[in-house]
Amino acid sequence: MSYNQDELEAPAWLNDEFFRDVMRESNNDQTIELTQACVLRPGTNKGDHYASVMFRTTVTYRSKRTNEEKSVNLIMKTKPEAEGLKKELLEDDGLFAIEIDMYSKTLPEMARLLKEIGEEYNFPRYIYGTLKPRTILILEDISGQGWVMGDFISTLDDMKPIVRDIARFHAASIMMESSDVTFARRFGYSMGDKFMGFEGMIKKGFGDLMQLTEKYPEFAHFAKPLEKFQANLREFYVALYDPSKTHQNVLIHGDFHSKNMLHKVDAEGRHTDTILLDYQICCWTTPAIDLYYLLDMIPTQELKDKYRYELIYMYYQQYSDLLRRLGYLGKIPTLLDLQIELLRYAGLELFHYAIFSSFRYMDQSAIDIEALLKGELDNPVLNNPEFKKLMHTELTRFLHQGTLSSI
């Protein structure tokens, strides 16, 4: 099994004394002592995530209050200490502050609101989080409780728990914002600027598309439209994350892809439940961002091609129904409003295809992710016939719907 290199050696401060103090604080019990040494393990497999550094451990402890030995599995996120792109992206504590807020305050309140109408919203239990003296977030590790990570989803039925979760998340956020004037401001962090830290990868992705237009005659007519689209790429992307002026805003997950969720799977291999992870880049903006992640980053291309509009319809039906049941008194957008908003933001989908589609055609565990993110690696899939066919089909769609323009 291959792990992220910076997760193979834990920092010295993640020691038994630290975990004892964490358990004392999280349980409000100063009599807790560890009964076994904590052994740290890498948090994720190579290629499963990028940015924060993750570790797992099991803490076994006893309290003088009960004299009963207990244990809890933990997963923790810390900031990278090694120099490089990852450290630069997380230099400030903005993303960790958001995620600590999400797990300690926002998600519990969402779950409370939804429980009142008979809906369950699951998330890993918050144990501890701080920005000083060192930045860390600790959650209960639920991977041993029957939750498993999956790959791209290949059936409509397996998409249903995922659609249900994001509809619940969005609807609950509307209710919280409607009763708290500070809510939207708390999540006003500009994610667009942060994502442009991947500028090397972004330029490389669009550069690869331009290579296709130069190398293959059937792609030649996309050259000018792609050049035009790229002319203001930074401004376009940063503006995407501003609150929408044309649609009802929600709190978006923002990093809503197949590696940021765990599933419960029955004996026949069907997904019966899904839990979302990694709430670091939640912000208050258009739901179109999460919905393009829903379409582009979770199902297989075949499933998306077949059920694209049904997935959006499914989301809308659940979202609008939840708002009514939650007692929302504001105006609920129509499905047509949502479809128009998606068309308005379709540049994000083009962005997804340019930057991320090639990942589906390569073994991510076998490549240097940081070099790829910096745009330093040649794309190994540009000659892949399946990739070329996909990009030609999708670029044609973007041209015909007006996302790409040659005029």
Side-chain angles (χ1 to χ4, degrees), residues 122-387:
N122 290 312
F123 55 92
R125 180 165 63 98
Y126 173 78
I127 302 292
Y128 177 82
T130 186
L131 304 178
K132 302 293 179 187
R134 294 180 179 88
T135 304
I136 190 167
L137 168 69
I138 303 179
L139 305 170
E140 183 175 10
D141 180 4
I142 61 170
S143 59
Q145 299 173 21
W147 295 98
V148 296
M149 185 173 284
D151 207 340
F152 294 111
I153 305 298
S154 58
T155 73
L156 185 63
D157 279 347
D158 285 352
M159 286 295 296
K160 289 177 180 177
I162 301 169
V163 173
R164 186 168 63 240
D165 263 10
I166 202 63
R168 285 170 174 160
F169 183 74
H170 288 174
S173 77
I174 291 285
M175 298 306 296
M176 292 180 72
E177 192 273 339
S178 68
S179 62
D180 179 358
V181 294
T182 69
F183 187 81
R185 190 164 63 249
R186 268 169 49 206
F187 296 100
Y189 195 84
S190 175
M191 300 317 310
D193 279 322
K194 182 65 72 175
F195 277 127
M196 291 310 290
F198 295 112
E199 200 160 9
M201 180 181 69
I202 293 164
K203 285 182 176 176
K204 183 74 172 63
F206 279 96
D208 289 341
L209 293 186
M210 295 307 294
Q211 275 192 52
L212 291 176
T213 70
E214 294 160 10
K215 196 170 179 182
Y216 302 103
E218 66 269 29
F219 283 87
H221 64 292
F222 297 125
K224 284 188 178 178
L226 282 168
E227 283 174 7
K228 187 176 178 182
F229 184 85
Q230 291 176 77
N232 299 301
L233 197 55
R234 171 177 278 275
E235 293 80 358
F236 158 78
Y237 199 76
V238 170
L240 272 178
Y241 285 82
D242 292 338
S244 175
K245 295 179 174 65
T246 50
H247 196 273
Q248 184 178 53
N249 290 293
V250 300
L251 185 66
I252 64 162
H253 180 279
D255 204 13
F256 186 44
H257 59 76
S258 59
K259 299 295 187 184
N260 276 343
M261 52 190 68
L262 297 174
H263 311 282
K264 282 277 178 77
V265 182
D266 68 14
E268 282 74 44
R270 293 172 301 207
H271 293 192
T272 58
D273 202 0
T274 294
I275 194 168
L276 305 185
L277 309 170
D278 206 341
Y279 292 87
Q280 277 193 321
I281 58 177
C282 295
C283 64
W284 186 254
T285 185
T286 176
I289 294 175
D290 274 349
L291 294 181
Y292 276 126
Y293 271 86
L294 175 73
L295 293 174
D296 301 336
M297 306 294 218
I298 299 173
T300 61
Q301 185 67 37
E302 294 75 18
L303 187 68
K304 174 185 171 178
D305 289 343
K306 190 171 182 180
Y307 293 111
R308 175 189 186 92
Y309 292 107
E310 187 167 345
L311 287 167
I312 298 302
Y313 178 76
M314 188 190 303
Y315 161 84
Y316 176 78
Q317 291 293 102
Q318 298 204 31
Y319 171 74
S320 56
D321 177 62
L322 285 162
L323 282 181
R324 292 186 192 96
R325 290 164 55 203
L326 286 163
Y328 181 61
L329 299 176
K331 181 180 181 295
I332 300 174
T334 65
L335 177 58
L336 181 59
D337 292 332
L338 179 61
Q339 293 288 9
I340 292 169
E341 181 79 348
L342 285 168
L343 187 58
R344 190 178 283 115
Y345 279 80
L348 176 60
E349 185 169 36
L350 170 56
F351 193 92
H352 284 167
Y353 273 100
I355 310 306
F356 299 116
S357 285
S358 59
F359 283 79
R360 297 196 184 210
Y361 298 86
M362 63 177 79
D363 179 1
Q364 293 179 45
S365 66
I367 58 174
D368 183 340
I369 290 287
E370 179 138 344
L372 191 71
L373 293 176
K374 287 180 176 178
E376 296 171 353
L377 287 184
D378 286 337
N379 190 331
V381 306
L382 285 185
N383 296 319
N384 183 308
E386 282 186 48
F387 176 74

Side-chain angles (χ1 to χ4, degrees), residues 94-131:
L95 301 190
F96 274 90
I98 289 170
E99 193 158 33
I100 289 171
D101 179 303
M102 288 299 300
Y103 278 109
S104 63
K105 300 175 186 173
T106 304
L107 291 171
E109 177 60 12
M110 284 184 170
R112 186 193 69 78
L113 286 169
L114 289 163
K115 189 175 182 181
E116 288 181 350
I117 61 166
E119 295 284 340
E120 190 175 18
Y121 190 86
N122 290 312
F123 55 92
R125 180 165 63 98
Y126 173 78
I127 302 292
Y128 177 82
T130 186
L131 304 178

Side-chain angles (χ1 to χ4, degrees), residues 60-127:
T60 306
Y61 63 96
R62 177 176 275 118
S63 164
K64 288 181 180 176
R65 291 178 183 173
T66 63
N67 206 33
E68 178 187 357
E69 188 175 73
K70 297 181 178 179
S71 67
V72 59
N73 294 319
L74 304 179
I75 186 163
M76 62 217 76
K77 285 185 174 184
T78 67
K79 288 169 70 171
E81 296 186 354
E83 295 300 323
L85 179 60
K86 290 171 76 166
K87 186 175 181 181
E88 291 168 22
L89 288 170
L90 295 172
E91 197 63 53
D92 67 47
D93 287 324
L95 301 190
F96 274 90
I98 289 170
E99 193 158 33
I100 289 171
D101 179 303
M102 288 299 300
Y103 278 109
S104 63
K105 300 175 186 173
T106 304
L107 291 171
E109 177 60 12
M110 284 184 170
R112 186 193 69 78
L113 286 169
L114 289 163
K115 189 175 182 181
E116 288 181 350
I117 61 166
E119 295 284 340
E120 190 175 18
Y121 190 86
N122 290 312
F123 55 92
R125 180 165 63 98
Y126 173 78
I127 302 292

